[in-house]
Amino acid sequence: MQAIVLLGAPGAGKGTTADGLHAEFGFLHVSTGNMLREAVGKGTDVGHEAEPFMQAGKLVPDKIIGRLVEELLNSDESGARYMFDGYPRTMPQADRLDACLEARSGRLNYVFYLDAPRELLVSRLAGRRICGSCGANYHLVNVKPKMDGVCDRCDGKLYQRPDDSEETVNTRLNVYEDMACDLVEHYGQRSLLRRVDSSRRPEDAVADIASVLRPPGADRE
Ligand code: AMP
């Protein structure tokens, strides 16, 4: 079992980068944020427990996150290659992920740290719009839909995530900055960390990561 982690602040482009890597390498995209939003949407017990933390821009307790991820790994028979997005976010989550992978004879191969200045993250999040039907991402300035409020792909209605409001964005970025240093240091010490400049276009970040995952010449044999 192989696994990579996409580490980065809200707005760093983890979701878009994950889409690109999924298309190129077939990694299974595991986004704890998406899993939680789905649980909230379905009104499950996990959703009820998580919702107040998410609305406030705070971290959902480690116990809930650990359970979610383990259930997913237990139910997945493919022995897939995993790409974790927005997980782990705390040191206890990082330790639990290691234990989880080890129990399945797997390991973490790389942690890609998507790095961008805070002002850019704020403007990306404030302008982000998402299709309620297919989940496609847009931006009011950078990635405009052809018709205002309507998805180009499926004609679905675009909405703003409630936690992308200006006030909650600032809390989320502060929460992220509080914990990021520990994780960056932890994975740096284990020589797993690769820093990626994600202030550029998403395809540039994907290309950088692809060159690490598939070094030049790797296709020749
Ligand atoms: P995201 O879509 O990754 O920005 O996550 C949205 C929200 O879900 C976060 O602001 C947290 O409230 C919660 N969340 C997602 N992943 C985690 C995690 N690994 N640990 C704790 N909370 C999380």
Side-chain angles (χ1 to χ4, degrees):
M1 182 191 286
Q2 285 187 314
I4 63 170
V5 164
L6 301 180
L7 182 67
K14 299 186 296 296
T16 317
T17 303
D19 287 345
L21 293 174
H22 172 75
E24 201 164 334
F25 293 95
F27 283 107
L28 191 73
H29 180 195
V30 182
S31 156
T32 43
N34 288 348
M35 290 161 84
L36 290 167
R37 277 184 289 280
E38 196 182 320
V40 171
K42 286 186 178 159
T44 64
D45 290 348
V46 165
H48 286 303
E49 280 183 81
E51 193 172 15
F53 294 97
M54 295 171 76
Q55 273 177 355
K58 304 241 168 87
L59 290 184
V60 171
D62 290 335
K63 228 165 64 186
I64 298 179
I65 301 291
R67 239 190 294 144
L68 266 187
V69 173
E70 269 168 36
E71 273 169 21
L72 177 106
L73 294 183
N74 287 339
S75 67
D76 182 55
E77 308 257 299
S78 66
R81 308 161 80 202
Y82 295 98
M83 171 171 52
F84 295 100
D85 155 7
Y87 170 85
R89 266 171 149 104
T90 65
M91 283 305 298
Q93 289 181 19
D95 292 340
R96 193 157 172 183
L97 174 61
D98 281 338
C100 244
L101 293 173
E102 218 175 286
R104 293 165 179 78
S105 310
R107 72 187 174 94
L108 203 49
N109 300 87
Y110 291 105
V111 175
F112 295 101
Y113 173 33
L114 306 188
D115 198 13
R118 184 166 171 136
E119 318 82 75
L120 182 62
L121 300 172
V122 172
S123 89
R124 280 182 183 167
L125 291 167
R128 177 159 72 177
R129 295 294 180 272
I130 296 165
C131 173
S133 302
C134 74
N137 271 276
Y138 295 87
H139 189 276
L140 292 181
V141 180
N142 307 332
V143 192
K144 282 177 156 179
K146 290 192 188 107
M147 202 190 300
D148 275 355
V150 180
C151 178
D152 293 348
R153 277 198 219 160
C154 73
D155 287 343
K157 204 170 157 207
L158 305 187
Y159 74 100
Q160 181 178 35
R161 263 173 55 174
D163 60 350
D164 278 347
S165 69
E166 198 178 326
E167 193 191 333
T168 314
V169 159
N170 278 311
T171 309
R172 286 165 65 206
L173 290 173
N174 292 340
V175 165
Y176 169 79
E177 281 164 12
D178 279 350
M179 66 82 195
C181 289
D182 286 350
L183 288 174
V184 167
E185 196 184 322
H186 171 72
Y187 288 126
Q189 278 170 358
R190 290 171 58 188
S191 305
L192 292 175
L193 197 80
R194 300 291 180 277
R195 193 179 290 261
V196 177
D197 174 3
S198 70
S199 61
R200 301 165 301 159
R201 295 174 314 156
E203 47 273 42
D204 295 330
V206 171
D208 278 7
I209 295 174
S211 71
V212 174
L213 295 173
R214 192 193 309 109
D219 291 340
R220 271 185 239 137
E221 289 179 16

